Amino acid sequence: MLLRLGIFLGCISLGFFAKAQSDSVVLKSVTVYGLPDEKYLAGGQFYALDSALQSQQASRHLGEILAFQFPVYFRNYGNGMLSGISMRGTSPSHVAVRWNGININSFSLGQADFSILPTIAFDDVKVHAGGGSARFGSGAFGGSVLLSSAGTTTNILSVSQEVGSFGRYFSSLKGSFRVGKFSSSSSLYRVQAKNDFPIPGYGERQPHAAYWQQGFVQHAQYSFSNARRVTIDYWFNDSHKEIQPTIGNHNSTDEQDDRNHRLSVFYEQNTTQGLSKVGGGFVDDKIIFNGTLSEMVRWIASASHQYTFKNQWNISGSAEWNHIIGKVKEYGPTSPEEDRVDVAAAIQKTFKKVSASFNVRQPFITHVTAPLLPYIGADVVLFENAAQQWLLSVNGSKNFRAPTFNDRYWQEAGSRDLLPETSYAAEAGLGWRYHNVKVNARGFYQHIDQWIQWIPMEQGIYRPRNVKQVRTDGIEAGIEDQANIGRVMLHAKLSYQFTQAITLETDDTDAASVGKQLIYTPLHTGSGTVSVVYKTWSANVYLQYSGKRYTESSNSSVYALDPFVLTDLSLNKSWTQNQHDFILSFQVKNLFDKTYQLYAGRAMPGRNFNLKISYHLNRKKQ
C-alpha cells in the first residue's frame, strides 16, 4: 500500500512540471534558528561528503563512496553484498546510522547494511567520528552516519543512465516543482548487475552473485509562513541478492530480499521563543532469506525545542519514543514488543575564542537498565588572523549500545538479562588552516565494556553473553588543499588513520584473542581524492588503502588478508544550453587491476568500466 502511495505521489510530481513552470513562485527562505549537531558536539570530528563526488558516483552504494572519502573500513561480503562499516576499531553495530533523524540500524541484527543504502537516495551525508551516544543514542561508539533526503527544487527534471561491466545498469529519474507554499521532489532509481566478474587467479567467473535494487524517495513540504512548515519524507527501497558464495563454492543457492519502508512527518515552527519541532515516523524492515520472512516494525514519535538565551546560550531539549515489534519466527510463537524512550538535553556557549558544549541523554528501555550518557567538548582558537588559524579540539563521552532483539529474544538462545554495552571515550585534536591549506591531526581513546559476544555453550549452542572488554586507540590525520593554476583548478584531499583495537578480556572459549587486534580491523587505513577541473572538463582520482587484516582472533598471519591500494579514475565532460545541462562521465574502477578481498573468501572484481550520461532541466532564474 505504501509503495503504491509513493508511486502515486511521484507520478503527480513528474506529471505536474508543465503547469508548475508557468505558475510557480519562489518561496521566501525559511530561517532556522536552531544550531546543527556540529555546534552541540563541540570538540568532535565531523566530515561532510563532497557534493561533487556524491553526484558523480550517485549509482554506487554509500559504503563505496565513504571508503574513498574517509579513513574507514567496510567488511563487504562480496561485490554488492552485505557491507558493514567499521570506525575507529569498533564493529559495524557500533556505528549509528540515522536518516532524517531516525535510527535505521537493524533492531534485530544491530547494524546497517550499506550495500542497500544507495547514494542517489540522499541529498546530504555527514559523518561524526567518535563517541556520540549523548546526541545520537544507542550504538554511537565508533561514530555516526547522518543522512538527509530533504529534497531539492533546483532542477525541474534530472535523468541519468549508466552502463557498466558485468551486466551492470543504473537508471535514475528525479523531478521537483513548487506551487505557492507547496514544494515537492521525487526520485526513482534502479540498479542491476549480473555480477559475473572473472575471479582473479581462478580462471572462472563469479557464480550466483547477481543483484538488483530499486526504490523511490519522496519529499513534500508546505510552508504556512516564513517561520512555520510541515514536511513529509518517504523512502521505499527494494533489493534482491543472490548471496555470493566463497571462492570455489559452486553449490550455493542462498538468496535474500530486503524491503524497507521509512516515513517521517514533522512540523517546525520558528518564533521568538525558539525553534520547535514535533513529529514522528514509521519504519518497516523486511528480510526474506530463502523464502523465510523476518520483519521489524517501529512507530516513532519525537519532540524537540531549541532556544537562544540572551544571544549567548543555546539550549536544546528533546524526547523520542520508539515502539518496536519483532516479527521473527525464531523469536517464538509471540512477537516480542518493547518501548524505548530517550530524553536528552544540550547546552552550547560561544565565548570569545572558545565554543563549548555539554550534552546528556537518558534512555529508558523495556527490561534494560540504560546508563546516563554525558558528552562534554570544546573548540579553542589558539591563534587566528586573516591568513591562518590554529584550533584545539577536545571532548569526552560515555556511550552505550542496547542489546539487539536477536540478543534478547532468539528462541532457546537469547537472554533478557544482558547488560547494555558501554564505553568511555576521549579525544583531542589540533587543526591548522593556512589560506586554502587545511591540516589536522587527532588522537582518540575508547574503553568498551560488556561487549556482547555469541559464544558456544552446552550441546554446541551459541548464546549471547557480556564477556568482552576492548580498548581502541589511535591517531587520524588529514591534509587538504585547493589551488588555481591559470584556468585549471586543483583540489586534493588525503586522510590516514592508525588504529589499535585490542581485546583486554573475554570468555575462556576465545582466550587466544586476549592482547590481540580485533579481526577485520586494519592497523592502517587511508583514503584520498585528487580533482582537476579545466573549463567544462574534469578528472578525478580516488584512492583507498587498507593494511593487513586478521581473520582469526589469534592473529595468525597465515590467514590474514593482504594490504591493498585501490585506484578509481573518472573523466567528465559537461555542457550547458540555456536551462539544459548535460554531463558525460567515463569511469575506470580498480584501475590497476588489484586482487584484493574485503572479507575472507569473497572475491572482488578486477578492473571494470562504467559509462554515464546525465541530463538536468534547471529552473529559470527569477
Side-chain angles (χ1 to χ4, degrees), residues 568-605:
D568 284 13
L569 174 68
S570 72
L571 181 64
N572 314 284
K573 165 65 177 175
S574 63
W575 62 96
T576 300
Q577 274 190 317
N578 299 322
Q579 293 174 256
H580 309 279
D581 290 343
F582 300 88
I583 303 173
L584 183 64
S585 177
F586 177 69
Q587 303 170 12
V588 184
K589 301 177 183 179
N590 195 357
L591 177 64
F592 298 108
D593 203 25
K594 179 67 177 179
T595 299
Y596 70 104
Q597 293 178 16
L598 296 172
Y599 200 89
R602 264 71 176 194
M604 296 297 289

Side-chain angles (χ1 to χ4, degrees), residues 469 471 501-505 511-518 553 555:
Q469 283 189 15
R471 184 194 75 240
I502 306 299
T503 300
L504 302 178
E505 294 182 11
S513 68
V514 175
K516 305 294 177 52
Q517 182 85 348
L518 294 183
S553 57
N555 285 187

Side-chain angles (χ1 to χ4, degrees), residues 178-191:
R178 298 179 298 201
V179 179
K181 297 180 179 181
F182 180 77
S183 63
S184 173
S185 64
S186 308
S187 300
L188 294 164
Y189 58 86
R190 178 178 172 85
V191 61

Side-chain angles (χ1 to χ4, degrees), residues 89-111:
T90 60
S91 76
S93 62
H94 293 142
V95 177
V97 180
R98 299 177 70 89
W99 171 77
N100 288 359
I102 295 174
N103 189 316
I104 61 171
N105 284 51
S106 168
F107 274 51
S108 60
L109 301 174
Q111 68 180 72

